[in-house]
Amino acid sequence: EAGLNAVCPRWRLSVLSKDDNGVVLSLGVKNQRLIVSARPFRLDIMQGPEVLLSLNSRGLLAFEHLRLHKDTDKEEVGLWEETFKSHTDTKPNGPTSISLDFSLPGVEHVYGIPEHADDLKLKTTDGGDPYRLYNLDVFQYELYNPMALYGSIPVMLAHNTQRTMGIFWLNAAETWVDISSNTTGKTVFGKMLDFVQGSSENPQTDVRWISESGIIDVFIMLGPKPSDVFSQYASLTGTQSFPPLASLGYHQCRWNYNDQEDVKSVDQGFDQHDIPYDFIWLDIEHADGKRYFTWDPHKFPQPKEMLQGLMDKKRKMVAIVDPHIRVDSGYKIHNEITSKDFYVKNKDGRNYEGWCWPGNSGYPDFTKPEMRAWWASMFAYDQYEGSMENLFTWNDMNEPSVFNGPEVTMHKDALHGKWEHRDIHNIYGLYVQMATAEGQTRRSGGVERPFVLTRAFFAGSQRYGAVWTGDNAAEWDHLKISIPMCLSLGLVGVSFCGADVGGFFKNPSTELLVRWYQTGAYQPFFRAHAHLDTTRREPWLFGPENTALIREVIRQRYALLPYWYQLLYQAHKTGMPVMRPLWVDYPKDTATFTIDDEFLIGRDLLVHPVTEEGSRGVTAYLPGAGEVWYDVHTFQKHNGAQNLYIPVTLSSIPVFQRGGSIIPRKDRVRRSSTCMENDPYTLYVALSPKKFAEGELYIDDGHSFNYDTKKEFIHRSLTFANNALTSNNLCPNCNFLTSSWIEKVLILGASKPSKVLLKMDGKETPVDFEFDTSMSVLTLRKPGMNAGADWTLLLQ
Amino acid sequence: MTCVHLLLTLVFAVSLGTPVEIQGPRGVPLTKKQFYVENKPFTCLDGSRTIPFDRVNDDYCDCKDGSDEPGTAACPNGSFHCTNAGYRTMFIPSSRINDGICDCCDTTDEYNSGAKCENTCKELGRKEREVLQKMTEITKEGFLLKQHLIEEAKKGHQEKQIKVTDMQENKKQLDEKVEVLRTVKETAEQPEKEAKERHLKAWEEQKAAIRLEKDKAKMAEAFLELDDNADGFVSVSELQSHAELDADADGTLTETEAQGLMGGAEQVDMSTFESVWPNIKDKYHSEVSREEADMSCLVSSEVPFGPHRWLVQLPSEAFYRYVTEKYSCTSYVSSSCSLFPYANPTVLWFTAAQKARDDFEEAEKALREMDDQIRNIEKELSFDFGPDAEFTYLYSQCYELTTGEYIYRLCPFNRVSQKPKYGGSETNLGTWGSWSGPENNKYLLMKYEHGTGCWQGPNRSTTVKLTCGKETVVTSTSEPSRCEYLMEFTTPAVCQEPANTDLSPHDHVEL
């Protein structure tokens, strides 16, 4: 039930007709029916005469049940006991797997079921391994491979030009997904020939889900629009948590910043090189003997002094807290867990122990609500010594990672109360992050928003914080794969996603590092991280030219923070992904269906990162027939529905703003996001061919729950139509005061007015402006109104 | 009441500030004040455009170079000047104006952010002066020490050069001596070589004779054994009793087979047996079990005492002892094995040759040692010990620093190492590579490379940062990147001549 949100809407089904072999039920929506057939058993969801989706049409429904081993049982290898390398799984309940097939007529493109280091569009698995969902700590993972990684979200999206649907297979046991398609291997020409000859069979994708244990518990999301599927899924598992604004800034991480001096000098390095950042991170070496919640007494003797130093600069810190607990009678956390009997048990009922960073470790049973409540209480300032309000948390190794366990994880016959680990494996990591986020919220009396990063995840993890793609490598292919990996996560609810900038293992070339910063700055979670064995790679260590390139892109990120924040708010409210595949906003454009080397941020920014070594140019697809896109750096206008070749240098980051959109930016970039709180906005109004544009502006205090509990926020719509730009209040009963104002308005694709007037409080005042004829950019100089006010700018 | 009070404080503060503050746009340094003339149009300092003066510091960026907003955060590339009276003047990026963080010690950067900044310039100035004073003193003393070091290095350099020249001369003489001794040795070795060859030949001949003798004796013994009836003949049937002689290995020696071995004869006498013996001797088993001492003596005597061993490997003294004292190998093998001694004149030749060899080797060794010494001094002379050889004194010295866990050891121009305090083996953190400071002064950094390899990582290396100090001492070590160490090291050798000793620090600061 942890995967699911508490409030799930329900409707009553009505029987339309029935006969000896089945019933026809109305699904509430017009023309949508469910046909239940008894022999053979199948379910068909219909819209009018069309079959949208069928269950068990291939008859692959199968289930086993928990039972004791009897002498009369068939003896087959692996049925009652399995061996993997030196590990034995005792399988006390025997074989328990379940399976069901789904058919998707008219569908050629399916997405989702992360986490895999693979393309955005899922491949057919005929003749190969199925996609595997089993949270594992994989050492140096392979790319373009259906192997299991750190997290599992058993949600698949199916899309064609008519409809988007989703299948949510709610099961936390090891799960496999097979995909086959009747159009596999057919060329475009072949498909066209089929169409012309009229001999074509309807394209269809067939999917089979298999889980090792549990029950068949499936949710079908019928769309029809992509945004409908997102909100339908959000109604089941909740939306992305609304993170503190600062966590959308740049994060500087390394395994490890060695000591307080090191932290101080890196912090100063950012100021010396005038590069903004918000968070500096400490990995496992900061703790005393890998005892989390403690500090190494030699390297970090004065954690509060260190945190205060960061706070003085309005910056923050993250320290790692992993869920493996050092077995050590001198360690408070271990002793309390032991005395409260909160550890996971092995099959014999003794505390389960395994090897991880500290050596012999216990694993708290995070599936227990009492355990989670206790864990949360450990984040209180008086419990977590040396912590302060600008210290946040990172949960790593929560698959859970057990160095000497089968596949580096926990034995399946370990026990969580009456449940075997096999039943809950994929949700363990979610519970860890859940309890940690709860602790962070509670330490402030429920006032402050938490920030917790997790490596393992499950359906619903989006409610608790950010996710990253684990231990990648400093290789160009790893940079490339970060895009489909985060896109896939966004499609199934997890918007706050990022990959280690620079690559975790190995040393990146300078070019790769620069390109990675340029890519990471346009992905939701923006953190550089590096392995202990790599050479230092703070942004200023590669010569002044490269420092300047990295500084520039981090500044671009900070200027766009208002837009990122507004998108996270939208994701939190509606479930819309922040980083999106193009097809989400261009669902009828088949050219977008397999694109995963570029992406949209929200609806209005299109990014095509340079991910090839020595690249001299990229070809970006600009979607939208009849639409226009503006290069955000030069303001040059390009038509939609074309492949655009863009020559690039090392400083180029191809980013385009959609004609028809308004994006608020804070172009005064400072040391950290918090320093920019009261700074003025610049509005980038990109006109559509019909001289129209719209956008939003969201402002709150950036860190508390007051936006929710006290409605303390500003939410405004910005509309440009009929030569007038207007700000309207979207939340009239909200109350929040900002000292931010509008310092500048850029209107892209404008024509030159004779006069510009600001209408506000019943008065009209002229506004200075400049017009750049070559790029058709109109700049309104210092209109000066408060960002929370009602106003109209008239172009005459 | 509070409001009034605040207002008063404000007025008070302003009135206090005014006398020292030179009026002008906020954030403009004195040197640029001339470009900002009240009520006259302002031209951006890059000349890109001209704007009305009321747009200077109006919190909107008009100039591309940021020059119209020296006192606000409006321009992304602007810079703000703090006067910092009592301390150093300073430029800060304009993005730090009113960001709530106190950057200028005179608090002028936070005029509108609500940040509670205190003027700390006086205190900072005092501290800086103290530090400067101390630094100046250190530099002064260090520079004096450096002059000494340079003197000493010069002296040492000359001495060493003279020494090398002397040694080169000595080496020449040694070279000649070695050549002479080589000729003596080769002459002395000629008769020795010949004697050895002769001796070897004779030894081989004697060995063959002994072998033949033994074979004959064995044959005679076998004849007697086989002649069971003692009739002076060995018959076919008598031979048949020795089944081991069976040629087809079927276990029995048939009559025909035996006859075959006997060359077709029915029986043979002692002299005819001589022609039969080669057919059977390899397989023949004696009826009496007995030692094979005779043969083994021959075989084993070849190992410790054979002529090859002697000639090639035994050292001269041992050789002499064996030749003169031990004529037999009784202590090692059976007494029947007597040794072939060298004749007396041969031994004398050997002794003479050995002496020549020893003399030659001794001279050659002396030459080698001389060469090594010369090479070492030349190596030292070839090191880059700085523009004035001021780093010479560090050569062949070592400096240690003990931290919580380790003892670090820096041996300049040689190596850096790390040893656990409480036992454990030493780790090489790099051997001398090169000077690697910045272009304008490469002598500020030393690089030590190719130390012990790291697991899954690079070879350890160390950068040593040199700063001016009176003492020569390692002040800190760290490992900023895995297996890349940084060591801080003070030495007078990098102390620069104090810039202008006449200018008192006071004047400088007041300006």
Side-chain angles (χ1 to χ4, degrees):
Chain A
E1 99 285 4
L4 287 181
N5 212 19
V7 268
C8 181
R10 283 151 216 266
W11 285 278
R12 186 174 287 277
L13 299 175
S14 57
V15 177
L16 294 176
S17 64
K18 57 177 167 180
D19 63 20
D20 286 353
N21 196 39
V23 288
V24 179
L25 301 167
S26 161
L27 286 177
V29 178
K30 202 182 164 197
N31 284 336
Q32 275 185 3
R33 288 158 295 140
L34 172 67
I35 301 174
V36 183
S37 311
R39 274 175 233 93
F41 172 69
R42 61 183 281 163
L43 301 173
D44 295 278
I45 299 171
M46 311 282 295
Q47 165 118 341
E50 236 184 302
V51 180
L52 301 181
L53 185 145
S54 306
L55 285 78
N56 200 34
S57 58
R58 290 191 291 158
L60 297 173
L61 169 67
F63 58 88
E64 289 166 309
H65 56 89
L66 312 189
R67 57 201 143 143
L68 290 172
H69 192 187
K70 279 181 261 161
D71 293 341
T72 51
D73 282 317
K74 264 200 296 186
E75 288 300 333
E76 271 178 49
V77 175
L79 223 51
W80 297 93
E81 184 177 290
E82 270 181 73
T83 303
F84 174 75
K85 294 190 177 167
S86 62
H87 304 284
T88 300
D89 177 7
T90 53
K91 297 181 79 171
N93 299 313
T96 53
S97 42
I98 53 166
S99 151
L100 181 59
D101 66 277
F102 301 82
S103 293
L104 296 153
V107 168
E108 288 181 82
H109 295 85
V110 287
Y111 308 93
I113 54 169
E115 178 176 51
H116 300 101
D118 209 343
D119 295 329
L120 173 67
K121 177 192 184 293
L122 297 173
K123 293 166 184 155
T124 59
T125 58
D126 302 323
D129 283 345
Y131 284 94
R132 186 182 185 207
L133 294 171
Y134 192 58
N135 295 0
L136 290 177
D137 176 4
V138 182
F139 178 72
Q140 297 191 343
Y141 58 77
E142 292 165 32
L143 307 186
Y144 305 106
N145 190 315
M147 70 198 247
L149 290 180
Y150 312 94
S152 301
I153 301 185
V155 177
M156 181 185 283
L157 265 53
H159 177 73
N160 61 25
T161 54
Q162 302 304 308
R163 179 178 288 274
T164 309
M165 292 184 290
I167 300 168
F168 174 24
W169 175 267
L170 179 50
N171 192 306
E174 179 176 358
T175 296
W176 302 82
V177 185
D178 255 320
I179 300 167
S180 58
S181 157
N182 62 354
T183 55
T184 307
K186 279 196 186 170
T187 60
V188 175
F189 181 74
K191 286 185 202 169
M192 219 157 69
L193 202 69
D194 282 349
F195 179 74
V196 172
Q197 293 172 341
S199 66
S200 111
E201 46 176 338
N202 197 16
Q204 178 167 316
T205 297
D206 295 308
V207 182
R208 182 190 192 187
W209 295 73
I210 307 163
S211 287
E212 192 192 343
S213 72
I215 58 167
I216 295 176
D217 191 0
V218 184
F219 298 84
I220 307 291
M221 295 158 285
L222 289 173
K225 295 198 300 292
S227 57
D228 295 325
V229 175
F230 299 134
S231 68
Q232 286 154 6
Y233 178 62
S235 74
L236 295 170
T237 67
T239 59
Q240 178 65 52
S241 64
F242 190 31
L245 172 59
S247 66
L248 290 168
Y250 172 61
H251 299 260
Q252 182 67 38
C253 186
R254 169 172 187 86
W255 176 23
N256 213 99
Y257 286 118
N258 299 330
D259 48 31
Q260 279 177 232
E261 268 309 304
D262 200 1
V263 168
K264 199 172 176 181
S265 79
V266 170
D267 178 70
Q268 284 169 350
F270 278 94
D271 287 343
Q272 275 157 22
H273 299 91
D274 202 15
I275 300 172
Y277 89 96
D278 270 82
F279 282 82
I280 186 164
W281 292 52
L282 296 180
D283 209 322
I284 51 174
E285 311 297 331
H286 86 277
D288 181 12
K290 319 279 176 1
R291 296 172 188 89
Y292 308 107
F293 300 99
T294 72
W295 305 82
D296 184 300
H298 302 294
K299 299 170 183 164
F300 296 92
Q302 304 289 342
K304 282 195 175 177
E305 197 180 293
M306 170 176 65
L307 287 164
Q308 186 60 52
L310 291 169
M311 198 182 284
D312 289 346
K313 289 200 188 160
K314 305 195 177 184
R315 287 172 178 154
K316 299 163 174 52
M317 175 171 263
V318 168
I320 200 164
V321 174
D322 286 352
H324 50 259
I325 302 301
R326 178 165 167 158
V327 173
D328 169 5
S329 59
Y331 180 26
K332 178 184 91 172
I333 299 287
H334 166 71
N335 290 340
E336 288 205 29
I337 296 174
T338 309
S339 70
K340 292 178 193 301
D341 201 20
F342 280 159
Y343 276 127
V344 174
K345 307 289 180 207
N346 64 23
K347 64 179 165 48
D348 304 321
R350 291 194 305 274
N351 284 346
Y352 178 90
E353 286 179 1
W355 281 81
C356 210
W357 296 122
N360 198 29
S361 306
Y363 292 77
D365 188 354
F366 283 90
T367 66
K368 277 196 176 111
E370 319 86 80
M371 157 61 208
R372 293 199 299 273
W374 172 83
W375 178 266
S377 74
M378 288 299 103
F379 288 88
Y381 296 119
D382 59 348
Q383 292 291 329
Y384 190 166
E385 278 173 41
S387 70
M388 284 173 57
E389 57 265 45
N390 64 338
L391 180 69
F392 296 82
T393 313
W394 168 20
N395 292 147
D396 196 359
M397 315 298 279
N398 52 339
E399 292 77 22
S401 178
V402 182
F403 291 163
N404 58 341
E407 295 189 274
V408 198
T409 194
M410 192 173 276
H411 293 72
K412 284 178 170 174
D413 54 11
L415 292 169
H416 303 257
K418 61 180 177 170
W419 294 102
E420 279 192 283
H421 184 68
R422 95 179 70 246
D423 303 314
I424 62 95
H425 175 85
N426 283 346
I427 203 170
Y428 183 85
L430 177 145
Y431 279 125
V432 175
Q433 193 191 17
M434 181 189 201
T436 305
E438 175 64 23
Q440 284 213 343
T441 307
R442 265 207 244 160
R443 69 178 182 178
S444 67
V447 174
E448 297 294 321
R449 283 177 243 166
F451 171 72
V452 182
L453 178 73
T454 183
R455 191 169 71 181
F457 51 81
F458 186 66
S461 283
Q462 68 269 16
R463 301 196 299 270
Y464 307 111
V467 158
W468 97 105
T469 61
D471 298 345
N472 60 1
E475 291 167 6
W476 288 91
D477 278 350
H478 274 269
L479 167 59
K480 250 174 248 164
I481 208 79
S482 72
I483 301 171
M485 286 180 84
C486 278
L487 286 175
S488 296
L489 276 161
L491 288 176
V492 296
V494 179
S495 264
F496 204 8
C497 169
D500 285 347
V501 169
F504 178 66
F505 291 112
K506 304 184 181 176
N507 293 307
S509 68
T510 304
E511 184 190 357
L512 175 58
L513 185 68
V514 169
R515 289 299 189 203
W516 212 317
Y517 269 101
Q518 292 173 343
T519 305
Y522 286 92
Q523 291 176 351
F525 177 58
F526 181 28
R527 182 186 75 152
H529 187 30
H531 190 275
L532 186 69
D533 290 335
T534 61
T535 48
R536 295 291 280 239
R537 53 167 98 137
E538 284 71 43
W540 50 86
L541 294 177
F542 303 88
E545 281 172 30
N546 295 302
T547 305
L549 291 172
I550 295 172
R551 177 194 298 123
E552 167 58 24
V553 70
I554 297 181
R555 284 181 165 209
Q556 286 179 23
R557 168 66 170 220
Y558 274 77
L560 278 168
L561 282 179
Y563 182 60
W564 281 106
Y565 194 50
Q566 169 199 318
L567 289 174
L568 261 302
Y569 179 73
Q570 186 191 34
H572 175 61
K573 284 291 166 190
T574 68
M576 277 303 283
V578 169
M579 178 177 164
R580 308 171 185 168
L582 270 58
W583 64 258
V584 167
D585 287 298
Y586 298 88
K588 291 187 188 303
D589 184 354
T590 53
T592 64
F593 289 3
T594 57
I595 291 178
D596 61 7
D597 56 355
E598 66 181 55
F599 53 90
L600 292 165
I601 300 170
R603 189 161 67 119
D604 301 334
L605 279 186
L606 182 140
V607 187
H608 189 111
V610 182
T611 57
E612 296 279 347
E613 186 170 17
S615 181
R616 305 235 170 150
V618 297
T619 301
Y621 180 71
L622 302 181
E627 291 190 28
V628 292
W629 293 86
Y630 297 86
D631 184 313
V632 299
H633 310 296
T634 64
F635 304 134
Q636 194 180 347
K637 188 161 75 176
H638 301 281
N639 289 325
Q642 65 154 327
N643 282 304
L644 181 70
Y645 179 78
I646 307 147
V648 298
T649 64
L650 198 52
S651 67
S652 311
I653 315 161
V655 182
F656 301 88
Q657 185 177 342
R658 188 177 62 83
S661 67
I662 300 173
I663 294 182
R665 286 200 221 169
K666 281 191 174 178
D667 282 336
R668 301 183 181 188
V669 172
R670 300 194 188 248
R671 256 183 288 224
S672 71
S673 66
T674 311
C675 293
M676 294 161 65
E677 186 183 350
N678 299 316
D679 280 338
Y681 290 89
T682 296
L683 304 179
Y684 286 77
V685 182
L687 296 185
S688 72
K690 289 181 178 158
K691 306 290 175 198
F692 174 82
E694 61 184 344
E696 288 178 18
L697 180 59
Y698 176 85
I699 308 171
D700 64 16
D701 67 12
H703 55 86
S704 78
F705 281 110
N706 292 349
Y707 76 94
D708 188 36
T709 52
K710 300 182 182 167
K711 286 203 161 264
E712 287 182 1
F713 64 90
I714 292 165
H715 195 193
R716 305 196 69 85
S717 76
L718 303 166
T719 313
F720 186 97
N722 306 318
N723 279 322
L725 176 61
T726 309
S727 171
N728 282 316
N729 200 346
L730 287 172
C731 184
N733 60 344
C734 286
N735 57 324
F736 185 74
L737 293 177
T738 178
S739 47
S740 294
W741 47 287
I742 312 294
E743 69 168 326
K744 196 194 279 193
V745 178
L746 264 79
I747 303 174
L748 315 181
S751 31
K752 189 178 179 177
S754 57
K755 201 172 168 189
V756 178
L757 290 174
L758 170 64
K759 263 175 73 172
M760 205 175 146
D761 302 330
K763 279 180 279 183
E764 286 189 7
T765 41
V767 174
D768 285 328
F769 63 89
E770 281 171 34
F771 186 73
D772 174 356
T773 326
S774 64
M775 286 292 165
S776 303
V777 177
L778 176 68
T779 305
L780 308 187
R781 188 189 187 280
K782 210 182 171 191
M785 52 284 194
N786 184 282
D790 289 327
W791 49 263
T792 298
L793 281 163
L794 289 168
L795 273 49
Q796 294 180 338
Chain B
M1 273 302 280
T2 334
C3 275
V4 174
H5 182 233
L6 265 177
L7 194 67
L8 280 176
T9 321
L10 197 68
V11 169
F12 187 58
V14 168
S15 64
L16 259 186
T18 357
V20 283
E21 185 75 34
I22 305 145
Q23 286 299 320
R26 200 193 294 271
V28 178
L30 205 54
T31 51
K32 287 191 179 152
K33 200 185 155 258
Q34 48 178 322
F35 302 114
Y36 299 82
V37 184
E38 192 105 25
N39 299 324
K40 290 216 173 128
F42 171 76
T43 302
C44 305
L45 296 186
D46 63 358
S48 58
R49 66 188 291 192
T50 300
I51 54 171
F53 192 80
D54 61 9
R55 292 195 173 182
V56 171
N57 276 345
D58 72 336
D59 207 10
Y60 184 91
C61 191
D62 292 288
C63 296
K64 277 200 175 123
D65 65 353
S67 58
D68 63 315
E69 296 295 318
T72 77
C75 293
N77 51 348
S79 67
F80 176 85
H81 182 261
C82 347
T83 311
N84 289 349
Y87 186 54
R88 265 182 296 155
T89 60
M90 191 163 89
F91 285 97
I92 58 167
S94 60
S95 65
R96 292 177 197 174
I97 299 168
N98 289 329
D99 67 348
I101 300 163
C102 311
D103 290 286
C104 299
C105 63
D106 65 2
T107 76
T108 50
D109 61 317
E110 296 300 317
Y111 57 86
N112 195 23
S113 70
K116 288 174 195 133
C117 300
E118 276 173 38
N119 191 320
T120 55
C121 291
K122 272 198 179 144
E123 180 61 17
L124 284 173
R126 193 181 58 76
K127 275 191 190 151
E128 192 187 46
R129 274 193 299 281
E130 276 174 22
V131 170
L132 270 176
Q133 191 115 22
K134 221 175 178 178
M135 274 305 298
T136 315
E137 273 165 37
I138 289 172
T139 312
K140 229 177 183 171
E141 286 179 50
F143 188 70
L144 276 179
L145 286 171
K146 182 179 169 180
Q147 301 313 309
H148 274 288
L149 293 176
I150 292 171
E151 279 305 306
E152 269 173 43
K154 262 188 198 151
K155 246 192 322 196
H157 192 83
Q158 278 167 2
E159 277 166 16
K160 273 178 191 131
Q161 243 161 3
I162 291 165
K163 199 173 167 194
V164 166
T165 320
D166 285 355
M167 286 166 91
Q168 297 279 20
E169 196 52 45
N170 289 343
K171 194 195 144 195
K172 249 188 222 158
Q173 292 170 11
L174 260 179
D175 262 336
E176 283 162 19
K177 191 178 167 193
V178 165
E179 280 319 302
V180 171
L181 287 174
R182 188 196 304 280
T183 319
V184 171
K185 181 189 83 144
E186 278 165 6
T187 319
E189 277 173 342
Q190 194 53 37
E192 181 200 51
K193 197 179 157 208
E194 283 162 12
K196 276 175 187 168
E197 276 164 9
R198 268 200 310 278
H199 180 81
L200 183 66
K201 205 175 155 212
W203 173 256
E204 289 298 333
E205 279 165 9
Q206 165 135 347
K207 242 175 33 180
I210 290 171
R211 253 190 228 113
L212 194 65
E213 199 74 14
K214 303 250 172 209
D215 194 44
K216 264 194 180 150
K218 222 175 162 190
M219 181 187 74
E221 229 172 277
F223 185 86
L224 291 177
E225 269 179 25
L226 284 167
D227 184 14
D228 287 336
N229 53 5
D231 62 351
F233 292 96
V234 171
S235 65
V236 167
S237 58
E238 281 169 342
L239 193 63
Q240 269 178 287
S241 69
H242 277 253
E244 77 269 17
L245 299 175
D246 173 29
D248 59 8
D250 63 357
T252 51
L253 185 67
T254 62
E255 203 178 313
T256 332
E257 281 170 342
Q259 210 163 351
L261 289 173
M262 303 236 308
E266 281 294 320
Q267 58 177 34
V268 290
D269 63 4
M270 183 70 143
S271 62
T272 327
F273 187 69
E274 266 182 55
S275 62
V276 175
W277 176 238
N279 297 339
I280 63 170
K281 68 175 179 186
D282 289 342
K283 288 182 179 171
Y284 181 77
H285 282 186
S286 170
E287 286 166 26
V288 198
S289 147
R290 59 200 178 103
E291 291 176 28
E292 306 228 343
D294 297 347
M295 291 307 288
S296 70
C297 169
L298 251 184
V299 173
S300 62
S301 71
E302 277 178 310
V303 184
F305 297 109
H308 296 291
R309 304 283 299 184
W310 254 346
L311 294 177
V312 178
Q313 287 190 347
L314 283 183
S316 57
E317 212 186 317
F319 168 76
Y320 187 75
R321 205 167 54 240
Y322 277 118
V323 170
T324 54
E325 293 172 12
K326 300 225 168 195
Y327 280 64
S328 68
C329 52
T330 44
S331 58
Y332 292 91
V333 286
S334 79
S335 58
S336 66
C337 179
S338 60
L339 199 72
F340 184 75
Y342 281 105
N344 232 6
T346 318
V347 173
L348 290 178
W349 287 331
F350 285 6
T351 320
Q354 192 54 43
K355 188 173 179 313
R357 250 195 311 271
D358 289 349
D359 291 349
F360 168 74
E361 272 161 18
E362 199 182 313
E364 211 183 28
K365 196 179 155 205
L367 179 65
R368 265 203 311 275
E369 278 167 5
M370 176 73 75
D371 254 343
D372 284 349
Q373 279 178 31
I374 293 174
R375 214 173 302 125
N376 279 340
I377 299 177
E378 278 177 342
K379 187 183 161 199
E380 189 181 339
L381 288 172
S382 75
F383 263 108
D384 179 358
F385 287 129
D388 298 309
E390 61 267 43
F391 298 102
T392 312
Y393 82 107
L394 298 173
Y395 189 76
S396 70
Q397 300 292 315
C398 291
Y399 303 89
E400 287 190 349
L401 176 74
T402 305
T403 65
E405 275 177 272
Y406 298 103
I407 300 165
Y408 290 88
R409 194 175 158 89
L410 165 67
C411 304
F413 305 105
N414 184 6
R415 67 199 290 265
V416 183
S417 59
Q418 173 201 54
K419 199 178 166 149
K421 227 157 118 184
Y422 309 106
S425 59
E426 191 183 80
T427 307
N428 180 356
L429 303 186
T431 51
W432 168 248
S434 59
W435 292 104
S436 59
E439 255 173 60
N440 59 1
N441 189 358
K442 66 172 178 169
Y443 301 103
L444 291 178
L445 291 179
M446 287 173 156
K447 186 90 191 159
Y448 293 80
E449 300 155 314
H450 311 300
T452 313
C454 271
W455 186 74
Q456 279 211 334
N459 282 49
R460 287 173 175 80
S461 64
T462 304
T463 301
V464 179
K465 205 171 136 192
L466 287 78
T467 47
C468 166
K470 286 187 282 184
E471 320 260 314
T472 302
V473 62
V474 177
T475 54
S476 78
T477 62
S478 57
E479 189 183 355
S481 259
R482 175 92 150 168
C483 303
E484 289 179 14
Y485 295 81
L486 179 69
M487 198 168 250
E488 309 233 11
F489 185 57
T490 62
T491 160
V494 292
C495 294
Q496 299 289 328
E497 188 166 12
N500 196 344
T501 40
D502 294 340
L503 187 75
S504 93
H506 260 272
D507 295 337
H508 188 67
V509 172
E510 286 302 315
L511 195 77

